[in-house]
Amino acid sequence: MMSVQQAQPGQPSVQVQPMVQARNVRKTFGQNEVLKGINLEVKKGEVMTLLGPSGSGKTTFLRLINHLETMTAGRLYVDGELVGYREKHGRLHELHPLSIAKMRSEIGMVFQSFNLFPHMTALQNIMESPVGVKRENKAVVKDRALALLDRVGLADKSNSYPGALSGGQQQRVAIARALAMEPKLMLFDEPTSALDPELVGEVLDVMRGLAASGMTMVVVTHEVGFAREVADSVVFMDDGVVVESGSPQEVLVNPQHARTKNFLGKVL
């Protein structure tokens, strides 16, 4: 369902298309049902954090959003378009790989591991996809990449190779690389879990800045403090279902379900 924005007297109501909409999304690996009917919406400009124990299905759901995994059942939309499929007579047909790649180019994803090309400098890593995939002008992309390096606090590291950067610096380059494609949605899968504790803050600072700029973000994280401070909505998942969702105040401060309370009691 699309949310309806309250109209002024005398004006028609305006339907607002969610950025992400999941309808009864299911995913099975062999005999293991990892997602058991996920229903949720992410509004444009919203920051949603997904919390839950390992194995609860958070990362699988995130990977479905940009079709790195295929659904077993349900419907998943990004900006009103069915992700990875076209629907005909009630049946889903997977899109051609080129169409999937185009869709994926509009969704930035940052992984636990930084996945930078070790033989390329920070600047080259950031420029690679806009030039190689979108065929953008190299000079224009270089200017954008340098601006992004400055945005993530690494203006002086443009010619550094990943091996010469700390984990936090590499992850900030990975964020800049995703932003270089000018995505309408950013997905983060435990972006600080591979970092030493003293490096976590510098990555979260970049993500705070992104949130403040109005970027739509879905973040899988164990950083409850970040969720409390930055998220517009928090979803707690366990055993493949959404147990509880709402504002940070509702879910983190005043949880209603025993499973949520038990999880928060362990991580806080």
Side-chain angles (χ1 to χ4, degrees):
M1 295 288 290
M2 287 189 293
S3 57
V4 179
Q5 204 171 58
Q6 188 66 41
Q8 297 298 317
Q11 293 181 340
S13 62
V14 179
Q15 287 193 319
V16 181
Q17 184 74 57
M19 182 60 78
V20 180
Q21 186 177 43
R23 296 180 184 171
N24 197 32
V25 170
R26 297 176 179 270
K27 176 61 180 177
T28 302
F29 293 100
Q31 300 299 310
N32 183 23
E33 191 175 24
V34 177
L35 296 176
K36 303 173 182 178
I38 301 297
N39 293 284
L40 56 79
E41 287 187 0
V42 184
K43 301 181 183 70
K44 291 180 180 177
E46 178 179 359
V47 178
M48 175 180 283
T49 54
L50 304 181
L51 302 178
S54 297
S56 58
K58 309 181 301 298
T59 291
T60 297
F61 178 69
L62 206 68
R63 291 173 64 85
L64 288 176
I65 294 175
N66 66 353
H67 206 63
L68 288 174
E69 299 286 356
T70 56
M71 292 183 300
T72 302
R75 300 290 186 273
L76 185 56
Y77 302 86
V78 169
D79 205 12
E81 294 189 12
L82 196 60
V83 173
Y85 300 92
R86 60 181 176 85
E87 186 169 359
K88 188 175 183 180
H89 305 308
R91 295 177 65 87
L92 295 183
H93 303 271
E94 193 167 15
L95 295 174
H96 187 277
L98 286 176
S99 298
I100 293 171
K102 183 180 184 304
M103 176 211 72
R104 217 177 260 145
S105 73
E106 299 179 331
I107 303 172
M109 187 156 184
V110 178
F111 301 86
Q112 295 180 39
S113 53
F114 323 123
N115 294 339
L116 299 178
F117 295 114
H119 62 288
M120 293 183 179
T121 65
L123 181 64
Q124 290 168 336
N125 265 281
I126 295 168
M127 292 178 61
E128 176 68 13
S129 289
V131 172
V133 177
K134 295 176 74 175
R135 304 297 181 188
E136 290 190 62
N137 179 275
K138 199 168 184 179
V140 172
V141 172
K142 183 177 181 180
D143 286 344
R144 186 193 311 153
L146 289 170
L148 285 168
L149 279 169
D150 184 53
R151 183 175 179 179
V152 300
L154 294 172
D156 60 335
K157 300 293 185 183
S158 63
N159 294 319
S160 297
Y161 290 88
L165 300 174
S166 71
Q169 289 171 331
Q170 290 185 62
Q171 192 63 296
R172 284 186 280 159
V173 171
I175 294 172
R177 179 180 59 181
L179 292 173
M181 293 291 281
E182 299 183 313
K184 57 189 175 185
L185 169 66
M186 284 286 287
L187 310 176
F188 293 86
D189 184 16
E190 301 272 14
T192 60
S193 65
L195 301 177
D196 292 332
E198 67 269 19
L199 302 177
V200 169
E202 63 191 48
V203 173
L204 293 181
D205 282 345
V206 171
M207 294 172 65
R208 287 186 187 94
L210 271 182
S213 75
M215 174 65 74
T216 309
M217 298 162 59
V218 183
V219 184
V220 173
T221 184
H222 287 296
E223 299 287 343
V224 176
F226 175 83
R228 185 189 295 115
E229 175 192 350
V230 178
D232 299 297
S233 60
V234 177
V235 173
F236 175 69
M237 292 177 62
D238 191 16
D239 195 28
V241 300
V242 173
V243 176
E244 193 163 354
S245 63
S247 69
Q249 175 72 23
E250 291 169 329
V251 177
L252 301 178
V253 179
N254 189 32
Q256 300 300 302
H257 291 264
R259 279 193 282 180
T260 315
K261 293 176 183 177
N262 183 52
F263 173 80
L264 292 173
K266 291 177 179 177
V267 300
L268 290 175

